[in-house]
Every structure is written in structure tokens, then in C-alpha cells.
Amino acid sequence: GAKPRAVAARSREPSPCEAERSRRARSETMRHSRSPPAQALPAGALDKIRQVPGNEKCLDCGAVEPDWGDVQHGSLHCIQCAGSHRSLGVRVSVVRSLTMDNWTEANLLAMLLGGNKQLRSFFERHKIENSDVEVLYRTRQASFYREQLQAQVARMLDRRANAKSPPTLPEEPAPPPPAPARKPGEMFANDFDVAVRTPSLGASLTRALPPAGARANVAGNGSMALVTKVVTHGPAFSSGVRVGDFVVALNGRAVIDYDEFVGLFARC
């Protein structure tokens, strides 16, 4: 059988496909960030950023009360580590001062959707958290995290635009809703077991970051299969699958990682 692939925290040049995905994610976020214009963070927004779990300390060195945000990763850093991030280049890291720089709505949303605890946990799942800064943020895992975070920002901006929200930075931006409390061993409310009994699943899936509290497969790249479309009265629909659900099993077999699910489904 195939040997497990080890996760190596080595710096490498992104593949053409990865570079194109990153370019599209940055382009989408930049498209939204042009309106409203950048402005200083309101006091309420600054407080919300500091209240995000893990943001009381610098992600890289642990210094208290970090004042610099990396809007590519939604993380907070001290001034020394912020300088290290600047040296990575804007394709990897974009740093903003919480008190001296102007911020776009997209920048703010990235900080509220991210957070030091979330990013640190992501790195720990892949066992790369102890890598040097210049290596860590250039890994394919960090690249994947950036792409997913910026895609979430773009989707939220679209929803706000469709709801005709005011074209200004909110005084009291709402952070992402907390995950509901669950008993040990209880499945996530939006999880389901897909029973594939026909050649067609009747649903469209995409690679996505796991929901809060989910234990991602460290042997994979940390992604799960998110349902984006369900065919009415199709196999998935009849099983109770709905848009927004995450796949956790296939034909009774636990499946967490997106790539593992795709491989199993192909053999059904």
C-alpha cells in the first residue's frame, strides 16, 4: 500500500495552480475592499479584535498586547514579529498597525474571522508550529489557510452587500457566532453520514476549513468536505443532507479529510 505522506515544514515555491488560486482570492478581496475606503479602526472594532481568542499574545513569540495585525492570516503580532512578516512579502503577509494604519472592511473581517488561537491550532494539527517564521508562513498548509480565510471574507462581504449594509466600517462589528456546546462524543449539528447507494451523490462539495471544534485529520491538509449544492429529491437530499453541512462519514465509515472522502467516493 501507499506509505503515509509526512508533513514537512519546508519553504517552497507555490505551484502554478496554487499561485492562481492565491491571485484570485487576493483579487476578490481587493475588489470588495475598494468600497468603503480604508479608515482608522473605530474603538469598538479594536476591542472586538483584541477579544478574539488567543489575541492577547503575539502568535509568534508570545509577547503580551500585540498591536500589529496580519490581515492575510487574521493574526496579531508584536512590532518585532510584524517586521519579520513584512520581510515575507505581500503575497504571504500584509501587516497593519491597530492604532496607526487605515483599515478596509475586508481587513477587519479577516481579523474577526481569524484569530491567534485558531491559526495556532491549525499549525499544531500539522505539527509545524515550531518552524521559523520565514519557513512557517511559506508552507503549503499556511497557503491553504490564507486562501480559505480570504474566501470566507469575500463570501461575507457579498452577503453584506446583498443585504445593503451601510457603506462604512461598523462601530460594533459582530464576531463569528460561537460553536454550540456539545456533549463529549456528540456529532456536530451540521454533520451527516452520507449513504451512497447510487452512482450519483446528488450534491456538490467543496474543500473548506473545518467548523469550530472539529478535529481535522492531521494526515491530510486540514480540510473537510462542505456541501454547497444539493439536488432536490436526489440521494443526498433524501438522506437529509443540506447546503452548509460537513461530511463526516461515507457508507458508515468515518471520513473527516476532504481528499479521503473524494478517494472513497470514487471507489464506491
Side-chain angles (χ1 to χ4, degrees), residues 220-245:
N221 61 14
S223 63
M224 292 179 65
L226 172 66
V227 178
T228 58
K229 181 180 179 181
V230 178
V231 177
T232 304
H233 304 307
F237 182 90
S238 300
S239 298
V241 178
R242 297 296 181 266
V243 173
D245 290 343

Side-chain angles (χ1 to χ4, degrees), residues 49-50 52-70 73-86 93 95-96 98 111 115-121 123-124 129-131 133 136-137:
I49 291 176
R50 293 194 181 282
V52 175
N55 282 3
E56 68 278 0
K57 294 182 178 180
C58 172
L59 175 65
D60 297 322
C61 73
V64 298
E65 298 183 355
D67 284 325
W68 295 79
D70 180 348
H73 300 90
S75 52
L76 277 186
H77 307 267
C78 67
I79 188 170
Q80 288 82 9
C81 292
S84 298
H85 277 249
R86 277 206 174 98
S93 179
V95 179
R96 293 280 185 274
L98 296 183
M111 299 302 297
N116 286 7
K117 181 178 180 180
Q118 176 175 283
L119 183 53
R120 166 62 64 173
S121 296
F123 286 153
E124 289 175 347
E129 73 278 8
N130 294 323
S131 304
V133 169
L136 177 62
Y137 293 94

Side-chain angles (χ1 to χ4, degrees), residues 34-50:
R34 293 192 185 106
S35 180
Q39 55 185 278
L41 283 175
L46 181 58
D47 290 340
K48 291 294 183 182
I49 291 176
R50 293 194 181 282

Side-chain angles (χ1 to χ4, degrees), residues 158-235:
D158 278 334
R159 288 197 295 268
R160 291 172 64 86
N162 293 335
K164 299 181 179 180
S165 57
T168 58
L169 280 175
E171 286 293 330
E172 294 291 337
R182 300 181 178 90
K183 298 178 182 179
E186 182 181 359
M187 288 203 309
F188 303 104
N190 289 336
D191 291 347
F192 61 88
D193 182 346
V194 180
V196 179
R197 304 189 185 282
T198 69
S200 174
L201 178 64
S204 297
L205 307 174
T206 187
R207 190 189 301 270
L209 287 175
R215 294 191 299 272
N217 181 6
V218 296
N221 61 14
S223 63
M224 292 179 65
L226 172 66
V227 178
T228 58
K229 181 180 179 181
V230 178
V231 177
T232 304
H233 304 307

